[in-house]
């Protein structure tokens, strides 16, 4: 019974393609996030959604578009993939507000050829 | 930028207590101290958090100094599976997201 699950686990594709990463959480949380971990292992927040509404959008290119069809899902669509997009992308979720901890998925390893 | 300072790496003998320090000298009154860890090839895992009192759970203990400018995460009996990068993060109460991860401490537990 995985709490936060991401698919696919690995994604290898060519420059210029469009791809999506899916995330689902079964914890009943209201808030979901996308983080990016680059080759230097720095983990940075990209987006945050609360009850399907965008609340955080860090400086991320417009090619990245998160979509939240319901509270349990936050998908990440990436257009026109570039070499610099190669990274591990982590989805996370938490209870709404206050100081609740975030629960992370195991990541999607995206490699751009 | 991360508001915490941690040693780059530490070693610990299996079965011993691992004490991981963190400096957060600019912490403000409404900011909590969180600890996460990332085992190789996995997502970050929440360990513990606290405001000013010491905290303990099934994974670890968190000791926060009285002036709140530093803290120590204690793994009482480290095992090989505790080898990971440990992140100390400060986060304001009520903030939506914005966990700012620094470089963390690479803890190596050795047999």
């Amino acid at each position: 019974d995985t709490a936060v699950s991401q698919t696919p686990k690995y994604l290898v594709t060519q420059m210029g393609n469009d791809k999506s990463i899916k995330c689902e959480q079964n914890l009943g949380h209201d808030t979901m996030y996308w983080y990016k971990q680059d080759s230097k292992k720095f983990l940075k927040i990209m987006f945050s959604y609360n009850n399907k509404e965008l609340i955080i959008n860090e400086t991320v290119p417009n090619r990245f578009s998160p979509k939240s069809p319901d509270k349990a899902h936050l998908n990440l669509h990436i257009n026109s993939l570039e070499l610099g997009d190669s990274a591990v992308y982590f989805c996370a979720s938490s209870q709404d507000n206050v100081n609740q901890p975030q629960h992370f998925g195991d990541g999607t390893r995206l490699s751009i050829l | 930028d991360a508001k915490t300072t941690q040693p780059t790496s530490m070693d610990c003998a299996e079965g011993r207590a691992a004490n991981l320090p963190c400096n957060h000298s600019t912490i403000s009154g409404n900011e909590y101290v969180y600890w996460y860890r990332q085992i190789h090839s996995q997502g970050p895992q929440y360990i513990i958090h606290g405001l000013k009192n010491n905290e303990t759970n099934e994974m670890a203990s968190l000791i926060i100094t009285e002036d709140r400018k530093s803290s120590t995460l204690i793994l009482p009996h480290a095992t090989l599976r505790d080898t990971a990068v440990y992140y100390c993060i400060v986060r304001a109460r009520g903030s939506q997201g914005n966990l700012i991860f620094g470089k963390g401490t690479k803890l190596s537990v050795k047999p």
Side-chain angles (χ1 to χ4, degrees):
Chain A
D1 53 345
T2 305
V4 181
S5 59
Q6 300 178 226
T7 54
K9 187 166 184 172
Y10 299 96
L11 185 53
V12 182
T13 189
Q14 294 194 329
M15 257 187 0
N17 284 349
D18 303 338
K19 290 293 180 185
S20 293
I21 307 172
K22 295 185 177 181
C23 179
E24 176 181 4
Q25 53 96 3
N26 62 4
L27 298 167
H29 289 165
D30 290 334
T31 307
M32 296 185 71
Y33 314 82
W34 276 108
Y35 287 81
K36 178 181 179 181
Q37 188 167 39
D38 60 24
S39 57
K40 294 183 179 179
K41 302 298 183 184
F42 286 114
L43 197 62
K44 293 184 180 179
I45 191 162
M46 300 173 69
F47 300 101
S48 171
Y49 268 70
N50 179 255
N51 281 319
K52 302 194 300 175
E53 289 190 15
L54 180 67
I55 55 173
I56 290 177
N57 181 353
E58 292 297 311
T59 308
V60 176
N62 291 337
R63 299 181 294 104
F64 291 79
S65 53
K67 287 184 173 50
S68 182
D70 55 58
K71 280 192 340 179
H73 295 84
L74 181 62
N75 304 322
L76 184 64
H77 188 75
I78 316 170
N79 289 328
S80 303
L81 282 157
E82 300 177 357
L83 289 175
D85 297 333
S86 293
V88 183
Y89 292 85
F90 289 99
C91 178
S93 72
S94 68
Q95 284 287 28
D96 181 30
N97 215 330
V98 198
N99 58 339
Q100 297 305 308
Q102 295 181 18
H103 298 259
F104 286 77
D106 281 336
T108 294
R109 285 145 188 84
L110 175 62
S111 298
I112 310 301
L113 303 177
Chain B
D1 291 342
K3 298 174 66 173
T4 61
T5 305
Q6 299 176 251
T8 302
S9 63
M10 291 182 64
D11 290 343
C12 178
E14 190 178 17
R16 297 284 195 171
N19 298 298
L20 293 97
C22 179
N23 285 325
H24 30 79
S25 57
T26 60
I27 193 170
S28 55
N30 69 339
E31 288 182 317
Y32 285 74
V33 180
Y34 286 78
W35 283 84
Y36 284 76
R37 72 180 181 183
Q38 188 172 23
I39 296 170
H40 181 62
S41 297
Q42 296 182 21
Q45 177 188 23
Y46 165 78
I47 301 172
I48 199 167
H49 73 283
L51 183 62
K52 54 183 179 180
N53 297 323
N54 297 338
E55 301 288 344
T56 296
N57 63 20
E58 65 278 3
M59 289 182 69
S61 294
L62 174 60
I63 308 298
I64 303 174
T65 58
E66 195 166 338
D67 63 7
R68 303 211 320 124
K69 292 185 177 182
S70 66
S71 60
T72 302
L73 178 75
I74 301 173
L75 306 178
H77 306 286
T79 71
L80 298 179
R81 286 175 291 182
D82 291 323
T83 293
V85 178
Y86 286 76
Y87 297 98
C88 170
I89 300 166
V90 296
R91 179 185 174 198
R93 177 184 174 89
S95 64
Q96 298 272 7
N98 264 9
L99 280 179
I100 300 175
F101 288 82
K103 296 180 182 179
T105 296
K106 168 69 176 175
L107 175 68
S108 298
V109 180
K110 300 182 184 297

